[in-house]
Amino acid sequence: MSQTLSIPALQARVEAILMRAGMNDQQSSALARVITAGERDGCKSHGIYRIEGSLRTLKAGKVRGDARPEILPSVSRGIVRVDARGGFSNPAFEIGLPLLAERARDLGLAALVVNDCTHFAALWPEVEAVTDRGLAALVMCPSYASVAPAGGKSPLLGTNPIAFGWPRPGRPPYVFDFATSVVARGEIELHRRAGRALPEGWAIDDAGQPTTDPAAALAGAMLPFGGHKGSAIGTMIELLAGVMIGDLTSPEVLDVLGTTTLAPMHGELILALSPAAFAAGREGDPFARAERLFEAIKGQGARLPSERRFAARARALSDGVTLTDAEAKQLDRLLAHGLDAVD
Ligand code: NDP
Ligand code: PYC
């Protein structure tokens, strides 16, 4: 039977599962917030479906559930660096955020670098945490080799998400957040579990031929969005959020991890920019000018990215979220058996 839960109830349940599996308070609470936010906002590919993968990664010893991230001494005022100490990215982001925002307000632009973190999450929760502070945000990270470069035939780039946010005083921010592959890999796995064929153009098989079979796609390679354009943006993310920050690129992650069935460990780059500082001395209020642009987009009948998500959030906050029978049973199983419930 399906089960409807309030958001606080779901978050408490997810946190209890993660603590039962041996994660400390800092890791489990940050992860529970981001996983619950995925369900709340109708982003199933990064909601409770990710719990099992996180526990499998913990059981395999590829992530530290007891990690306490640490802010490292600054080499440059514009760069805040957090060592995730082999834990998940979200608690590391949370401890670095206040200093990132302070430096971005002060300098106009600042970066938060998170190193040595396991990353399975959507990026928009981090983008929104920055826009909530009146700053614009650009966030990106590699993953593991699973995407063929445009014109290539085998996995090399990651699904490398990139997300941007612009603060809108008194309204939800403008936010987009997407993989640089046609879709997130989680979507392919969800299609496989549901026995549904993929749309054409998402993936190729291990012989480099187009496929709509999710299993063949997982064994082959995903395709970048927009052909050579997505391929170039994916490569930029490898450079900025891998090479430049002294962390692993997606092919290196796969070499170290040896599988695409566990959550990957690498780094993450979060840029915070102050529109007020950049526009100072120029005519016009940047926030008012941005609103005119958004109105013009909507005036053509187009929707802004994240509007679907914000509508799902409003519904979930008032009515709760409904889990399928299989999802509710899976949560019960994970809570009852902890790491024994996963391979
Ligand atoms: P989607 O293609 O589903 O959506 C991407 C973005 O486009 C969203 O901001 C969405 O807003 C917006 N959008 C969708 N349709 C429209 C439309 N018609 N008009 C305007 N905007 C639209 O995302 P992906 O499958 O590429 O990625 C899903 C998630 O996976 C992301 O959150 C990403 O961070 C995450 N991911 C994480 C990885 C990791 O390594 N941690 C790797 C890859 C992906 P809305 O939500 O409102 O529909
Ligand atoms: O959905 O592509 C994905 C993904 C990879 C790592 C985390 N999410």
Side-chain angles (χ1 to χ4, degrees), residues 77-214:
R77 271 183 52 73
I79 303 173
V80 177
R81 190 180 289 273
V82 178
D83 180 353
R85 294 189 153 178
F88 288 94
S89 58
N90 304 94
F93 169 81
E94 287 184 0
I95 68 158
L97 175 65
L99 191 54
L100 170 72
E102 183 190 310
R103 297 270 172 88
R105 271 191 219 103
D106 195 17
L107 302 170
L109 165 64
L112 171 58
V113 170
V114 178
N115 285 120
D116 300 332
C117 62
T118 286
H119 204 297
F120 68 83
L123 301 184
W124 52 259
E126 296 170 345
V127 165
E128 288 186 29
V130 176
T131 58
D132 282 352
R133 286 161 172 75
L135 299 162
L138 189 60
V139 182
M140 62 193 83
C141 69
S143 57
Y144 39 62
S146 49
V147 177
K153 285 191 182 316
S154 52
L156 180 70
L157 305 171
T159 50
N160 301 4
I162 183 162
F164 170 78
W166 178 272
R168 302 179 69 191
R171 298 176 195 224
Y174 174 92
V175 177
F176 70 72
D177 176 14
F178 45 69
T180 46
S181 42
V182 178
V183 286
R185 192 168 177 84
E187 278 297 331
I188 310 254
E189 175 59 18
L190 290 175
H191 274 72
R192 189 190 67 76
R193 290 183 185 189
R196 280 185 286 136
L198 303 176
E200 283 177 17
W202 283 19
I204 51 180
D205 63 19
D206 61 3
Q209 294 305 309
T211 184
T212 58
D213 173 358

